[in-house]
Short mmCIF file of all heavy atoms in Angstrom, two decimals:
data_model
loop_
_atom_site.label_atom_id
_atom_site.label_comp_id
_atom_site.label_asym_id
_atom_site.label_seq_id
_atom_site.Cartn_x
_atom_site.Cartn_y
_atom_site.Cartn_z
N SER B 1204 28.41 -12.24 1.36
CA SER B 1204 27.29 -12.99 0.93
C SER B 1204 27.32 -14.38 1.72
O SER B 1204 28.21 -15.18 1.42
CB SER B 1204 27.07 -13.24 -0.58
OG SER B 1204 27.10 -12.01 -1.21
N PHE B 1205 26.40 -14.72 2.62
CA PHE B 1205 26.34 -15.80 3.28
C PHE B 1205 25.29 -16.85 2.77
O PHE B 1205 25.16 -17.09 1.58
CB PHE B 1205 26.30 -15.64 4.71
CG PHE B 1205 27.53 -14.86 5.33
CD1 PHE B 1205 27.37 -13.93 6.32
CD2 PHE B 1205 28.68 -15.01 4.73
CE1 PHE B 1205 28.47 -13.20 6.82
CE2 PHE B 1205 29.91 -14.37 5.24
CZ PHE B 1205 29.77 -13.55 6.27
N GLN B 1206 24.31 -17.31 3.74
CA GLN B 1206 23.31 -18.22 3.20
C GLN B 1206 22.24 -17.40 2.57
O GLN B 1206 21.35 -16.86 3.23
CB GLN B 1206 22.74 -18.99 4.50
CG GLN B 1206 23.60 -20.01 4.93
CD GLN B 1206 22.95 -20.95 6.01
OE1 GLN B 1206 23.08 -22.15 5.90
NE2 GLN B 1206 22.18 -20.40 6.99
N GLU B 1207 22.32 -17.23 1.29
CA GLU B 1207 21.46 -16.24 0.61
C GLU B 1207 21.24 -16.84 -0.75
O GLU B 1207 21.86 -17.80 -1.26
CB GLU B 1207 21.99 -14.86 0.60
CG GLU B 1207 23.45 -14.78 0.19
CD GLU B 1207 23.71 -14.71 -1.23
OE1 GLU B 1207 22.99 -14.07 -1.90
OE2 GLU B 1207 24.68 -15.25 -1.71
N CYS B 1208 20.34 -16.15 -1.56
CA CYS B 1208 19.95 -16.50 -2.91
C CYS B 1208 20.47 -15.55 -4.04
O CYS B 1208 20.18 -15.79 -5.19
CB CYS B 1208 18.46 -16.79 -3.12
SG CYS B 1208 17.59 -15.18 -2.90
N THR B 1209 21.16 -14.50 -3.56
CA THR B 1209 21.57 -13.46 -4.52
C THR B 1209 20.45 -12.60 -5.01
O THR B 1209 20.72 -11.67 -5.74
CB THR B 1209 22.42 -13.93 -5.64
OG1 THR B 1209 23.38 -14.97 -5.15
CG2 THR B 1209 23.33 -12.96 -6.33
N GLY B 1210 19.37 -12.76 -4.41
CA GLY B 1210 18.16 -11.85 -4.85
C GLY B 1210 18.32 -10.51 -4.39
O GLY B 1210 17.84 -9.61 -5.14
N CYS B 1211 18.96 -10.29 -3.27
CA CYS B 1211 19.20 -8.94 -2.77
C CYS B 1211 20.16 -8.17 -3.75
O CYS B 1211 19.90 -7.01 -4.04
CB CYS B 1211 19.77 -8.89 -1.36
SG CYS B 1211 18.86 -9.81 -0.17
N THR B 1212 21.25 -8.81 -4.25
CA THR B 1212 22.11 -8.15 -5.13
C THR B 1212 21.30 -7.94 -6.42
O THR B 1212 21.43 -6.81 -7.13
CB THR B 1212 23.24 -9.09 -5.40
OG1 THR B 1212 24.05 -9.18 -4.13
CG2 THR B 1212 24.24 -8.41 -6.41
N GLU B 1213 20.55 -8.90 -6.81
CA GLU B 1213 19.73 -8.73 -8.14
C GLU B 1213 18.70 -7.63 -7.95
O GLU B 1213 18.65 -6.82 -8.94
CB GLU B 1213 18.99 -10.01 -8.34
CG GLU B 1213 19.72 -11.28 -8.76
CD GLU B 1213 20.22 -11.12 -10.29
OE1 GLU B 1213 19.46 -10.46 -11.06
OE2 GLU B 1213 21.22 -11.67 -10.49
N SER B 1214 18.31 -7.44 -6.78
CA SER B 1214 17.37 -6.31 -6.60
C SER B 1214 17.86 -4.99 -6.86
O SER B 1214 17.36 -4.08 -7.46
CB SER B 1214 16.65 -6.37 -5.13
OG SER B 1214 15.92 -5.27 -4.94
N LEU B 1215 19.17 -4.83 -6.19
CA LEU B 1215 19.92 -3.45 -6.53
C LEU B 1215 20.35 -3.37 -7.90
O LEU B 1215 20.36 -2.26 -8.34
CB LEU B 1215 21.08 -3.60 -5.46
CG LEU B 1215 21.73 -2.12 -5.27
CD1 LEU B 1215 20.75 -1.08 -4.90
CD2 LEU B 1215 22.87 -2.35 -4.26
#
Side-chain angles (χ1 to χ4, degrees):
Chain B
S1204 301
F1205 296 146
Q1206 285 194 134
E1207 47 85 38
C1208 66
T1209 316
C1211 302
T1212 298
E1213 289 285 333
S1214 171
L1215 187 58

